[in-house]
Amino acid sequence: MATETHGVPQLVLESVFGFNGHVSSGLRVHPDGEHLIYPLGCTVILKRIKDGKQEFLNGHTNNVSCISVSKSGSYIASGQVNFMGFKAIIIIWDYAQRTIHAELLLHKAKVEALAFSPNDKYLVSLGGQDDGSIVVWNVETKQAICGSPASASSAGHCLTLQYSNTNNIFVSAGSGTVRVWELDLLNRKIKPTECQTGKLKRNVQCLEISDDDQFIYCGTTSGDIMKMTLKTGLLSDCGPAKPKYSQGVNVLRVLKSGDLLVGSGSGTFTMCSRTNFKTLKEVQLEKGVTSIALRGDGQQFFVGTKAAQMYSFSSGNFEAELISTSHNSAVNDVAILFGTSVIFGTCSGEDIRVWYIDKPKELLRITVPNMTCNSLDFMTDGHSIISAWNDGKIRVFGPESGRLMLIIHDAHKMGVTAIAGTRDCKRIVSGGGEGKVRVWELQPHGHRLLETMTKHKATVTCIKVKSNDKECVTASSDGACIIWDIVRFVSLQMMIANTSFKTVCYHPEEYQIITSGTDRKVTYWDVFDGSVIRELEASLSGSINGMHISQDGKHFATGGDDKLLKVWDYTAGEVTHVGKAHGGSITSIKLCSNNRTLISTSADGAILQWKFPHPSSS
């Protein structure tokens, strides 16, 4: 069966544009001080700070939910989420070899948090809401030593873990619970002691233990910090009194000086004093802070936010330097500048971003607040980016300046959903949520509507223009695919299937088209009589959302809700390679004209760049 990917060669991942800023403390600095470690989808990324070179740890089958690095740096542990009723895996990676040291399977549905003991011998893991247990593992033997329910039956869910810096004690905390655990290796047991918070009822989101193991600092959803004595488990202080941290304290780090770095849900990043929690320095970042990672002795630190941004700080001047940025919501479309393999554009939510292919770097960002960009394309002369928006407008931007060059108001009633430009750069073909297809002529100082073509009954999902600019093909969620004459504005052929079409491509010789959609099939059609030539089962689960064909017509790539990127042989109709790294449904795919690079985007905001396995023979 064509969809079986077992034993099929893997695609090589070249670079990743993205960072999952929703993973609590997901951004880490390796003790060697040279690499950042962070998750994206199913992948753990190691990024060299000096030059941005990336390496990838692949082994998870679903989104990575937590990360921990051992004190010596020999090991990295990462846990994932899984479907209800299934166990979620923890992988311990050998850092030097970049290989899997152990795969640990006990927790149900989600691994919430991980922490290594200071001597690298033990790993503590916390299961998610459906699991609720703490397990201590022996790193060397790869076996579980002991386990226990994380919180007392009267308390709420446990959310976070931290190991002490000197002995076999660790702390867990969550909603209405803070516990100090002692590891009794002889009897293979862990013994909890409840911390006493008096009248304070708090939900703890993050924990930090001071270097000398004297104090536990707990960041709460209420926006204050509880300071407790580790030895006695008693509350010694709580602050700041006013104003509290807006939207809660998400993450804490203790500096060598004893002062605290605090990241809040509202995006304020603060250095505060250890004695009275008074703010010493403060800076406002975009969206909630979820990670603070210290480099070396804390002279430099890195901060990650929910906006998928990474910042670098030095403790001296406390100024934010943006070092990496990416989409933080579903990427709807990707387009590559015609005839080049250097620059590509993506759209997501309210912005369009233009990127370099050679290094994961954002060149330009165009933002239209409170709107959603559904689709984009580069005009073949490279002088403009055309884009389709949910407010019914077509916007044309300069690809270098990002300047708005033209706006077509009321292009489509229910939003513009698909767009394509002709090769001569004189016309735009657009499709809308109401099913109409419109052809626009671009003029030196404006535009003119040439024709509206009405045969589709639902959203137009994809438009491709034939190379001679005389015809185009449109796919729609109404189950029809129509070939139009865009000189005489009549329909030439209609292909109908029991599916909601998501994407369509012309074969480069243009006597066939291929379509795919919710029926999980890739269908080859004859352009002249609209007959089905062949059907391929392209996915075991979920629709195919993105598809692109190579310029020589020998291969095409598909991706969809099963999160797998597949490269197919066009003639044989078989999968030649498969790519597994996306953590969300694949939304769009484009192949560079030089057949070297394949770019795929997904619903979790990730953009992945793969080495295309069939370089052009010419």
Side-chain angles (χ1 to χ4, degrees):
M1 191 173 162
T3 47
E4 283 300 329
T5 54
H6 193 66
V8 177
Q10 297 273 325
L11 284 170
V12 176
L13 189 58
E14 289 190 318
S15 66
V16 166
F17 301 67
F19 157 62
N20 185 352
H22 292 273
V23 174
S24 182
S25 290
L27 177 63
R28 305 279 178 143
V29 177
H30 190 270
D32 66 11
E34 288 177 21
H35 290 86
L36 292 175
I37 302 164
Y38 55 95
L40 183 71
C42 317
T43 309
V44 177
I45 299 161
L46 310 178
K47 181 176 175 181
R48 202 154 62 193
I49 295 169
K50 186 174 63 184
D51 56 9
K53 185 178 177 291
Q54 294 176 329
E55 293 173 84
F56 310 102
L57 302 178
N58 291 313
H60 285 286
T61 55
N62 208 321
N63 285 347
V64 175
S65 53
C66 55
I67 278 186
S68 182
V69 182
S70 71
K71 209 165 188 178
S72 70
S74 303
Y75 300 107
I76 298 168
S78 51
Q80 70 170 55
V81 287
N82 211 339
F83 304 105
M84 282 287 288
F86 289 90
K87 290 190 170 169
I89 196 168
I90 298 164
I91 298 180
I92 301 179
W93 307 88
D94 181 315
Y95 178 73
Q97 306 293 326
R98 309 285 199 264
T99 53
I100 293 176
H101 166 74
E103 295 184 84
L104 316 173
L105 206 57
L106 258 185
H107 293 294
K108 291 196 232 20
K110 183 182 182 184
V111 184
E112 191 76 56
L114 293 163
F116 279 101
S117 65
N119 59 8
D120 285 15
K121 282 188 181 169
Y122 310 108
L123 175 71
V124 188
S125 61
L126 169 65
Q129 203 166 322
D130 305 305
D131 180 271
S133 61
I134 285 179
V135 178
V136 181
W137 305 84
N138 182 319
V139 173
E140 199 181 323
T141 65
K142 310 170 189 180
Q143 299 295 316
I145 299 169
C146 54
S148 163
S151 34
S153 50
S154 57
H157 300 297
C158 193
L159 295 170
T160 181
L161 279 178
Q162 198 75 33
Y163 222 106
S164 70
N165 298 297
T166 50
N167 44 27
N168 277 328
I169 288 174
F170 60 90
V171 182
S172 70
S175 82
T177 170
V178 180
R179 285 177 140 189
V180 176
W181 301 78
E182 208 172 324
L183 175 57
D184 177 358
L185 284 167
L186 218 60
N187 300 312
R188 294 181 67 146
K189 275 192 182 132
I190 41 175
K191 301 176 194 151
T193 308
E194 291 287 345
C195 291
Q196 303 305 315
T197 56
K199 288 181 181 167
L200 274 188
K201 293 284 174 277
R202 293 288 189 266
N203 294 340
V204 178
Q205 298 195 101
C206 57
L207 276 178
E208 186 75 346
I209 299 173
S210 61
D211 280 354
D212 55 11
D213 280 347
Q214 276 211 312
F215 296 107
I216 312 166
Y217 295 94
C218 304
T220 71
T221 50
S222 321
D224 48 17
I225 299 161
M226 296 192 295
K227 181 178 177 184
M228 307 169 103
T229 311
L230 182 64
K231 231 183 193 142
T232 61
L234 297 176
L235 185 68
S236 77
D237 201 356
C238 185
K242 277 195 175 66
K244 299 208 184 308
Y245 292 100
S246 172
Q247 296 176 41
V249 176
N250 282 350
V251 60
L252 284 172
R253 283 287 173 271
V254 180
L255 290 166
K256 282 272 181 283
S257 63
D259 293 334
L260 297 176
L261 294 176
V262 186
S264 81
S266 63
T268 53
F269 176 56
T270 312
M271 186 191 284
C272 74
S273 116
R274 60 186 159 169
T275 45
N276 53 4
F277 305 110
K278 188 169 158 274
T279 298
L280 305 171
K281 293 171 181 174
E282 185 176 274
V283 62
Q284 181 65 43
L285 304 177
E286 194 181 334
K287 296 207 176 155
V289 177
T290 51
S291 296
I292 303 169
L294 304 181
R295 185 180 187 186
D297 56 7
Q299 291 309 305
Q300 185 186 14
F301 32 91
F302 296 91
V303 175
T305 71
K306 279 188 180 163
Q309 319 272 41
M310 280 185 215
Y311 299 88
S312 167
F313 283 82
S314 73
S315 53
N317 61 12
F318 215 71
E319 278 173 19
E321 181 199 343
L322 184 65
I323 53 165
S324 142
T325 171
S326 50
H327 293 297
N328 61 333
S329 58
V331 181
N332 298 325
D333 200 8
V334 56
I336 298 175
L337 188 58
F338 179 78
T340 78
S341 299
V342 185
I343 284 170
F344 70 95
T346 53
C347 63
S348 159
E350 54 188 33
D351 55 30
I352 291 172
R353 302 187 188 205
V354 179
W355 311 82
Y356 258 135
I357 280 181
D358 288 338
K359 53 180 170 193
K361 186 170 176 233
E362 184 184 297
L363 293 175
L364 174 72
R365 190 188 309 184
I366 301 162
T367 305
V368 181
N370 307 322
M371 300 301 157
T372 300
C373 184
N374 293 318
S375 180
L376 83 163
D377 200 6
F378 284 98
M379 281 302 212
T380 50
D381 59 8
H383 290 174
S384 56
I385 299 169
I386 55 174
S387 56
W389 295 79
N390 70 337
D391 59 353
K393 297 183 171 97
I394 293 170
R395 292 177 170 89
V396 181
F397 298 97
E400 286 176 359
S401 62
R403 186 174 61 84
L404 182 63
M405 295 157 65
L406 172 71
I407 188 163
I408 301 176
H409 294 278
D410 305 317
H412 289 273
K413 266 206 179 77
M414 291 163 65
V416 190
T417 52
I419 200 160
T422 56
R423 295 273 175 111
D424 63 9
C425 304
K426 289 178 179 162
R427 289 177 298 164
I428 292 174
V429 185
S430 66
E434 78 295 341
K436 291 187 169 66
V437 177
R438 293 197 159 125
V439 184
W440 309 85
E441 182 183 43
L442 296 173
Q443 297 168 327
H445 301 291
H447 62 276
R448 180 166 72 104
L449 175 61
L450 296 176
E451 191 64 59
T452 300
M453 302 183 289
T454 55
K455 279 216 167 170
H456 285 302
K457 305 279 185 290
T459 304
V460 178
T461 52
C462 185
I463 301 170
K464 294 282 170 40
V465 180
K466 200 172 168 179
S467 60
N468 65 3
D469 286 346
K470 290 180 179 169
E471 288 176 24
C472 77
V473 60
T474 57
S476 165
S477 54
D478 63 3
C481 220
I482 302 176
I483 294 176
W484 306 90
D485 180 322
I486 50 174
V487 178
R488 296 181 297 128
F489 306 111
V490 292
S491 70
L492 302 173
Q493 200 55 257
M494 193 172 195
M495 285 70 98
I496 295 175
N498 186 13
T499 181
S500 170
F501 284 118
K502 298 274 192 181
T503 173
V504 59
C505 292
Y506 273 107
H507 184 275
E509 289 171 12
E510 296 178 338
Y511 53 79
Q512 288 179 6
I513 60 166
I514 53 173
T515 60
S516 64
T518 53
D519 63 356
R520 311 197 306 273
K521 292 183 172 71
V522 171
T523 310
Y524 297 40
W525 306 81
D526 188 297
V527 166
F528 301 106
D529 62 6
S531 62
V532 174
I533 298 164
R534 80 192 297 183
E535 281 188 341
L536 304 174
E537 284 283 337
S539 162
L540 286 171
S541 62
S543 70
I544 300 289
N545 306 321
M547 183 163 66
H548 202 221
I549 195 162
S550 64
Q551 281 199 317
D552 56 14
K554 290 178 184 169
H555 299 93
F556 65 94
T558 61
D561 292 350
D562 63 357
K563 307 175 188 174
L564 296 176
L565 181 64
K566 294 174 187 168
V567 177
W568 301 73
D569 182 300
Y570 190 88
T571 316
E574 286 173 357
V575 177
T576 67
H577 291 76
V578 67
K580 300 176 187 174
H582 276 290
S585 296
I586 295 174
T587 50
S588 61
I589 295 171
K590 286 294 183 299
L591 178 58
C592 284
S593 52
N594 65 6
N595 269 22
R596 279 202 198 119
T597 306
L598 187 60
I599 292 168
S600 57
T601 67
S602 57
D604 58 0
I607 305 165
L608 270 55
Q609 187 178 312
W610 309 79
K611 185 177 181 189
F612 189 65
H614 307 286
S616 305
S617 42
S618 54

